Amino acid sequence: MALAHWRSLSMSPSQLSLAHVLKSGQSFRWTLTRLAPPEKVSQDIDLATEEYSLCLSDRLVVLRQTATQLYYQAIFPASSASAAFTTDPKLDRTTIEWIKKYFQLDVDLVQLESDWAARDQVYSKGKQVGTLLPGVRVLNQDPWECLFGFICSSNNNIARITSMVQSAAHHFSPPLLTYQPPPSSQVTGGAIAAAASDMTVSANPKAYHPFPPPSSFTDASTVPTLLSLGFGYRSKFIHQTARLLVESHSDPQKYLESLRALPTDKAREALLEFTGVGPKVADCVLLMSLGKKEVVPLDVHVVGFAERLYGLRTGGKGKGMTKSVYGITQSKLREVWGDWAGWTQAVLFASDLPFLMSSIANPTTRPIKPVKIKVLPKIESSESSIITSFSVEAKGELTLEGVLASERINKRETVERIGQGESKPSSLELEAESMGDRIKRRRRGEL
DNA sequence: CAGGTC
DNA sequence: GCTGG
């Protein structure tokens, strides 16, 4: 078993935060291990508190992150002739190249965020108030994995999607290797600490499985197996999608990759041919595995933003959300956010996840004085008509008051048109909400 | 109720 | 409407 062949890349957490992006519901495949505190901190890597690992077809990619560095190493099966740990410079180079592509490190996220803040008041407000997570970028995933994951995502939550995808890999693909993150203290020396297999001090080395190809799901036994694994009605979707892929294309994965070269609309059409793939799932695949950076998938969270933060009428989640409203809402958001709107969406989406927000939202040390923002009422379904007054105010002075004033205007118009009902504010809004409003809601029994 | 779809 | 974190 390999050990201690870390290399590192200079990396600011504002450009890439593993802790944020790998838990934000883009990829469902990463394994997270919390590291025990080292006995003594003798080098930078000892400061890392978590390790992340992903099993590729031939190796396990292992990552750790500190305030200044991204540490990486590849672990190969012991049977591989090229040694159990990678000293082979050629193999090492392929790992760093994979990392650069997967995390799209050629894209300057900090620059993008500065652009978004300059063009979108809602975004700049969130940046000022401190409710937007840093280091959230769009991953460039394997299209088949991405397609599989998001077929599983319908009417489902991130935790269960993750467990489903993991169990699929475990039951449909043989293990590549077993591995257990060594304690930091063992890592620091760079020595081999696990020479013998009788070193049973460690309890459970974990088996890592590559993600199974489409052909693994074409057998008739697939559906009952997936059902037994808890895939529910998605079992049939997976099987049918895999069959269509395998029957229509000699190299299914290469076919999916080829969609990258098509215009966005054509690529979306192709994806919609698969069972279990609707507009939302197709858009996720386009954005997160086919390089369509401008695509904004509209899920319940983003629909919530569109309504409450941007005053767009969408007709609510799922039901009532007609195809044309989906498209209009998308184009409006793309108008506000620009050519990288899909990336903007990723930041807002991640920042709205409660289990991630807790990592930066510390109620005792509020970044600014709480200000009053009223929450837009819930919008009842009704046909067509996006709020016409929707627009981004001209640049100029970008004071917080100005931002809030314009939001109040939006709110009033929405109330007049649509009437009563109230939606739960997201954590984004809660941060900038007055204590008074918070108490009011609590009295109503909502929190 | 959850990153919707048939 | 599947189903479990």
Side-chain angles (χ1 to χ4, degrees):
Chain A
M1 182 50 64
L3 217 48
H5 272 260
W6 296 105
R7 290 172 181 269
S8 75
L9 194 60
S10 185
M11 178 62 60
S12 162
S14 60
Q15 283 290 353
L16 166 63
S17 166
L18 297 180
H20 294 158
V21 74
L22 295 184
K23 302 177 197 171
S24 70
Q26 291 190 49
S27 170
F28 308 98
R29 289 246 299 136
W30 287 85
T31 299
L32 157 65
T33 308
R34 276 178 225 294
L35 301 169
E39 293 166 10
K40 62 175 180 185
V41 176
S42 53
Q43 34 179 298
D44 180 64
I45 193 173
D46 297 338
L47 296 172
T49 58
E50 296 176 327
E51 182 172 294
Y52 305 85
S53 47
L54 177 68
C55 191
L56 306 184
S57 60
D58 67 334
R59 76 194 71 182
L60 186 70
V61 174
V62 186
L63 305 177
R64 295 186 187 189
Q65 186 171 30
T66 66
T68 61
Q69 302 294 121
L70 177 65
Y71 293 90
Y72 65 93
Q73 95 178 275
I75 303 201
F76 293 85
S79 56
S80 170
S82 55
F85 43 89
T86 169
T87 51
D88 184 335
K90 200 201 290 183
L91 289 176
D92 192 63
R93 193 164 56 247
T94 62
T95 298
I96 187 58
E97 287 310 314
W98 180 88
I99 288 172
K100 286 178 179 173
K101 279 187 187 169
Y102 185 83
F103 291 103
Q104 313 203 61
L105 295 182
D106 57 320
V107 177
D108 186 345
L109 178 63
V110 173
Q111 178 62 51
L112 283 178
E113 291 183 327
S114 151
D115 295 343
W116 298 329
R119 66 183 296 148
D120 176 15
Q121 298 178 340
V122 172
Y123 189 91
S124 72
K125 181 199 75 182
K127 218 43 181 170
Q128 293 174 51
V129 175
T131 53
L132 296 179
L133 294 175
V136 176
R137 51 177 57 242
V138 171
L139 301 176
N140 179 27
Q141 303 180 57
D142 174 82
W144 164 240
E145 278 186 35
C146 193
L147 179 60
F148 187 103
F150 281 99
I151 286 176
C152 296
S153 77
S154 71
N155 208 344
N156 206 347
N157 59 67
I158 293 178
R160 186 155 81 112
I161 299 164
T162 303
S163 77
M164 285 163 64
V165 170
Q166 297 293 352
S167 76
H170 189 268
H171 288 266
F172 285 83
S173 168
L176 179 71
L177 50 77
T178 61
Y179 167 77
Q180 181 174 35
S184 298
S185 53
Q186 290 184 12
V187 173
T188 54
I192 298 176
S197 58
D198 56 14
M199 186 189 136
T200 339
V201 184
S202 56
N204 37 0
K206 187 180 179 302
Y208 287 83
H209 303 248
F211 196 75
S215 58
S216 301
F217 301 95
T218 52
D219 191 83
S221 65
T222 296
V223 175
T225 303
L226 288 177
L227 281 171
S228 74
L229 293 176
F231 277 66
Y233 57 77
R234 303 163 197 86
S235 306
K236 193 162 51 171
F237 298 166
I238 296 292
H239 179 238
Q240 289 175 350
T241 293
R243 279 186 61 108
L244 181 56
L245 267 172
V246 169
E247 286 169 3
S248 312
H249 308 281
S250 58
D251 189 338
Q253 313 226 48
K254 183 162 279 184
Y255 164 71
L256 290 175
E257 284 287 357
S258 75
L259 300 181
R260 173 181 289 268
L262 296 181
T264 300
D265 288 344
K266 289 293 179 189
R268 182 186 283 106
E269 273 179 41
L271 291 171
L272 289 172
E273 293 301 311
F274 297 111
T275 316
V277 178
K280 153 65 173 59
V281 170
D283 286 343
C284 285
V285 175
L286 289 170
L287 174 66
M288 301 174 199
S289 70
L290 296 175
K292 306 303 186 187
K293 58 185 169 35
E294 76 283 2
V295 171
V296 179
L298 295 188
D299 58 49
V300 291
H301 295 269
V302 179
V303 165
F305 299 147
E307 290 181 348
R308 301 192 303 273
L309 265 32
Y310 295 92
L312 297 173
R313 289 185 56 185
T314 64
K317 20 203 159 202
K319 276 195 276 198
M321 181 69 145
T322 66
K323 201 165 190 175
S324 75
V325 173
Y326 186 102
I328 293 169
T329 306
Q330 255 192 337
S331 64
K332 282 294 183 182
L333 290 174
R334 192 149 59 228
E335 207 174 292
V336 187
W337 291 334
D339 291 340
W340 295 75
W343 287 55
T344 326
Q345 168 274 147
V347 175
L348 293 181
F349 177 88
S351 302
D352 196 47
L353 297 174
F355 55 88
L356 279 183
M357 274 310 298
S358 61
S359 71
I360 62 166
N362 184 349
T364 60
T365 57
R366 216 167 255 290
I368 63 162
K369 180 176 134 193
V371 292
K372 180 162 187 163
I373 293 182
K374 298 211 173 153
V375 177
L376 287 173
K378 175 162 188 176
I379 295 164
E380 296 304 323
S381 67
S382 78
E383 275 317 304
S384 66
S385 158
I386 300 290
I387 285 182
T388 50
S389 68
F390 167 77
S391 70
V392 183
E393 297 293 330
K395 325 279 169 176
E397 285 287 309
L398 207 58
T399 65
L400 193 54
E401 287 73 18
V403 173
L404 301 179
S406 73
E407 286 190 12
R408 258 179 236 121
I409 291 168
N410 262 341
K411 186 243 175 185
R412 206 165 295 136
E413 290 175 352
T414 310
V415 174
E416 285 166 9
R417 285 159 151 265
I418 300 155
Q420 68 289 70
E422 188 172 325
S423 66
K424 193 174 67 176
S426 71
S427 49
L428 281 174
E429 292 147 285
L430 276 177
E431 274 305 301
E433 185 183 28
S434 80
M435 195 51 79
D437 284 348
R438 215 175 272 215
I439 291 168
K440 277 184 214 158
R441 192 181 20 269
R442 199 175 300 132
R443 287 215 190 95
R444 278 182 245 116
E446 293 177 33
L447 262 184

